[in-house]
Amino acid sequence: MLQIIDTPFAALAKAIGAGKDELKLIFTFLLSYPLAGVLKRLPDSSPAQKNLFIIAVSLFYIIGVFDLWGGIRTLFISSAGAYIIASRISGPYMPWIGFVFLMGHMFYSHMYRQLRPVDGEIDITGAQMVLVMKLTAFCWNVHDGRLPESELNEVQKDRALKQVPSILDYTGYVLYFPSLFAGPSFDFSEYRKYIDGTMFNVSVIDKKGATKTKRRIPSSSKPATFKAIQGLLWIGLFMQLSAMYTEDFAQGPEFLKYSFFRRCWWLFMFGFTARTKYYGVWMLTEGACILSGLGFNGVDENKKPKWDRVTNVDPIALEGAQNTRAYLEAWNMNTNKWLKNYVYLRVTPKGRKPGFRSSLATFATSALWHGTAPGYYMAFITASFAQTIAKYFRRHVRPFFLTADAGLPKPSKKFYDIFCWFATQFGFSYIVVPFLVLDFKPTITIWSRTMYYGHVIIAIAMAFFSSPAKGMLIRTLKKRTSRAQAKKQEEEDSLRREPTLGLSDDPIHDIEEMEAEIRAEVARRRGSSVSGPRVRLNMPSTKQ
């Protein structure tokens, strides 16, 4: 750590009552903007120069700003191990070996941090979580590069690596400074296209109608500045609200003086306050990625550059979400992509549709990736059942608010949408409590002080949809729904969607599927064990 850097942060933290390391983290996010501007202007003809600049900046952040010598060791173990596995091991098990190694190393880091917590101090775990996404994807990309293209889907073809990259390129990818501590993650093929400039080979139409090719990073200062302003506003809002909505207050005697509905409102604001911090951090890092050029994602129909390659959160979509899936899809988007492309679809055997094994593996990976605290698992399990309730409502209640012939919204649909918004937002305000407080006892304390309303509603809804009332709804819908609409609804019901953030679209269906498969396997084994002895017993008599 450079003392000349540490001293002013210590003084500022004492003056405003903030954490020193938290101020340093915001400092690195903001410093990444001018440094990204420098990186953007390094020549495309010299990828090595870009890589060395990226590595130098990240080392300055890790050692010069945070003094994380142990963090360097942690990142080196993960990245060196993944590189050796990808380059030295061949065969179908290589990416799984890399996955187990990386997740196991991260599990150790999570456990170490949980057993030896230091409040307000930044460690390398956040950077390691981002790295796990990048490097497990890297192992799969190398594996895909060794397969015939006929065996790959379009995403896999685009991300496949025919050759293991050089150590310098790989290190630049690992230590890309605008997303070092908080993401977003991205695949190596994207980094390679960025570093050699081929990402910016876009076709445009000139005034004469002829096609020409540009090769330069389009101007990204405006979208980057817009992201930075949004990020700072969200951080400022968090600083204002975080002193008012605290875990300690929810467990204190003053909270008990509130009415039930005021406690529910407080819980909503508690969750919203936590989200503003992530909105701010992710928008600041995304803005730095955009300024460096990595956020470029081609051009739209008007030939204007798009800068959404590494978008990680959509606050407007999330805060306005009317169902659980829309809520989760707007949050931590790159983690969603990673779980889908490198866990859910990879667990599924080739030629078969994803089943409960894929959902279970994705759920377990997402939960373990987040950490080892019990709060993560309490939140994930509760959210899974909330997903099921939302699916039941969409399948059996929502059609009553649509026209029977064309499936268009009725005038009453707006009231259903308002109800769904309240249910989704206040439902997740309850669900995310353990995700924020992490420990079992304080979670139970806060949940009990809001009368366990989330679990009560889930239990009532599950009981309702398990009762004869569900059959009545189905029969009524069949009478009023056209054949085309019924067929469309049937197709939607049979469609299994990939888990969002590891949460199954229908965990009840997964459990039933698992039970059916276990029963079938038991029956098969019993049948073979019964038939086996009969053959052996008859053999002697045959010989006689």
Side-chain angles (χ1 to χ4, degrees):
M1 180 192 307
L2 298 177
Q3 195 62 37
I4 193 173
I5 293 176
D6 188 68
T7 300
F9 283 107
L12 181 60
K14 186 177 180 180
I16 65 175
K20 181 179 69 173
D21 276 12
E22 293 172 349
L23 292 175
K24 286 183 178 181
L25 190 62
I26 296 174
F27 166 74
T28 61
F29 294 154
L30 296 176
L31 183 60
S32 292
Y33 279 78
L35 294 176
V38 174
L39 173 62
K40 179 180 179 179
R41 285 161 177 78
L42 295 178
D44 290 343
S45 59
S46 181
Q49 193 174 343
K50 293 183 179 181
N51 282 320
L52 290 172
F53 181 78
I54 289 169
I55 295 168
V57 172
S58 288
L59 291 177
F60 167 70
Y61 285 172
I62 298 171
I63 298 173
V65 177
F66 291 104
D67 197 28
L68 292 175
W69 289 96
I72 288 289
R73 180 179 64 248
T74 296
L75 297 185
F76 174 79
I77 292 172
S78 286
S79 55
Y83 190 84
I84 292 171
I85 289 170
S87 59
R88 301 294 183 183
I89 300 176
S90 58
Y93 296 109
M94 181 275 286
W96 292 115
I97 294 171
F99 178 85
V100 172
F101 165 74
L102 291 162
M103 291 293 290
H105 187 210
M106 188 181 63
F107 174 77
Y108 168 81
S109 297
H110 279 317
M111 287 298 298
Y112 186 87
R113 180 171 174 82
Q114 185 174 337
L115 295 174
R116 298 184 180 183
V118 181
D119 291 338
E121 195 171 289
I122 300 296
D123 72 353
I124 206 64
T125 309
Q128 188 180 10
M129 291 171 69
V130 176
L131 194 60
V132 164
M133 289 193 286
K134 293 167 72 172
L135 297 187
T136 51
F138 174 79
C139 290
W140 277 110
N141 297 153
V142 172
H143 170 72
D144 291 342
R146 297 167 179 168
L147 298 176
E149 286 196 359
S150 59
E151 298 183 18
L152 306 177
N153 61 34
E154 293 304 314
V155 174
Q156 292 165 357
K157 290 177 185 178
D158 180 64
R159 307 296 167 85
L161 301 176
K162 298 297 184 182
Q163 294 180 338
V164 177
S166 68
I167 292 178
L168 182 59
D169 284 348
Y170 179 77
T171 306
Y173 170 64
V174 166
L175 295 177
Y176 177 72
F177 67 85
S179 65
L180 177 65
F181 290 112
S185 67
F186 46 88
D187 289 353
F188 182 84
S189 62
E190 296 174 286
Y191 179 77
R192 182 174 60 188
K193 292 174 185 176
Y194 163 72
I195 210 74
D196 64 16
T198 55
M199 178 183 287
F200 312 106
N201 285 352
V202 294
S203 297
V204 297
I205 307 299
D206 63 17
K207 295 180 180 179
K208 296 180 180 180
T211 301
K212 64 178 182 179
T213 299
K214 283 187 177 181
R215 181 169 179 173
R216 65 179 184 84
I217 302 178
S219 175
S220 57
S221 56
K222 287 184 178 179
T225 302
F226 184 60
K227 286 290 182 181
I229 292 172
Q230 289 182 79
L232 289 173
L233 290 174
W234 284 118
I235 292 291
L237 183 59
F238 169 74
M239 294 178 69
Q240 291 294 320
L241 295 176
S242 58
M244 298 163 38
Y245 298 96
T246 66
E247 175 189 339
D248 291 339
F249 180 82
Q251 298 182 66
E254 292 297 318
F255 190 63
L256 293 174
K257 297 179 181 179
Y258 287 0
S259 67
F260 170 73
F261 291 106
R262 190 176 178 187
R263 291 180 203 177
C264 293
W265 170 254
W266 188 97
L267 218 59
F268 172 81
M269 290 303 300
F270 180 58
F272 174 73
T273 300
R275 292 194 297 274
T276 59
K277 177 177 67 175
Y278 289 99
Y279 293 161
V281 167
W282 283 336
M283 286 194 169
L284 285 176
T285 57
E286 183 187 345
C289 292
I290 289 173
L291 190 61
S292 73
L294 185 65
F296 180 71
N297 197 24
V299 295
D300 60 19
E301 62 277 5
N302 298 317
K303 302 301 180 182
K304 292 183 178 180
K306 296 187 296 183
W307 296 101
D308 57 355
R309 180 181 294 273
V310 291
T311 297
N312 208 32
V313 69
D314 186 344
I316 295 177
L318 190 146
E319 299 299 335
Q322 298 172 10
N323 59 73
T324 58
R325 191 166 190 88
Y327 189 100
L328 294 169
E329 285 181 342
W331 177 263
N332 213 348
M333 297 175 176
N334 288 287
T335 300
N336 266 324
K337 294 176 185 176
W338 171 65
L339 289 169
K340 174 187 174 181
N341 293 322
Y342 299 110
V343 181
Y344 183 73
L345 296 178
R346 302 292 182 161
V347 171
T348 306
K350 190 167 294 185
R352 293 180 59 183
K353 292 183 178 180
F356 79 89
R357 288 190 181 90
S358 301
S359 297
L360 182 62
T362 308
F363 176 89
T365 299
S366 181
L368 182 60
W369 179 82
H370 279 92
T372 55
Y376 294 126
Y377 302 87
M378 297 170 73
F380 271 68
I381 293 172
T382 306
S384 292
F385 287 96
Q387 281 261 78
T388 300
I389 300 304
K391 187 172 184 178
Y392 286 163
F393 267 89
R394 180 174 180 82
R395 183 182 298 175
H396 304 301
V397 178
R398 183 175 178 269
F400 285 102
F401 297 90
L402 305 175
T403 57
D405 51 352
L408 298 174
K410 292 182 176 180
S412 58
K413 176 67 162 48
K414 59 178 176 292
F415 298 107
Y416 176 78
D417 291 340
I418 293 172
F419 166 79
C420 288
W421 181 87
F422 272 100
T424 299
Q425 298 297 329
F426 281 86
F428 271 101
S429 297
Y430 176 89
I431 290 168
V432 301
V433 168
F435 201 92
L436 301 177
V437 303
L438 299 181
D439 293 327
F440 179 81
K441 187 176 179 180
T443 295
I444 296 300
T445 299
I446 297 174
W447 272 352
S448 66
R449 292 182 170 194
T450 52
M451 301 175 63
Y452 296 101
Y453 76 82
H455 286 95
V456 169
I457 292 172
I458 289 173
I460 293 173
M462 293 293 288
F464 176 82
F465 287 109
S466 299
S467 71
K470 178 181 176 182
M472 293 176 59
L473 289 176
I474 293 173
R475 289 191 294 271
T476 305
L477 284 174
K478 283 184 177 179
K479 291 179 181 178
R480 65 179 297 277
T481 305
S482 65
R483 289 186 178 182
Q485 283 296 110
K487 185 177 180 181
K488 181 180 178 182
Q489 183 64 44
E490 186 178 338
E491 291 174 351
E492 288 183 0
D493 292 348
S494 64
L495 179 65
R496 176 189 285 270
R497 297 179 178 178
E498 67 275 2
T500 311
L501 281 182
L503 300 179
S504 172
D505 193 47
D506 192 345
I508 300 299
H509 177 76
D510 290 336
I511 293 171
E512 292 172 348
E513 185 180 326
M514 180 175 63
E515 290 176 348
E517 188 166 321
I518 291 173
R519 284 196 297 268
E521 180 65 19
V522 170
R524 187 188 67 80
R525 289 179 179 272
R526 284 178 177 174
S528 61
S529 65
V530 171
S531 60
R534 285 178 179 173
V535 173
R536 289 194 291 271
L537 286 171
N538 289 335
M539 285 176 65
S541 61
T542 303
K543 287 183 179 180
Q544 291 174 357

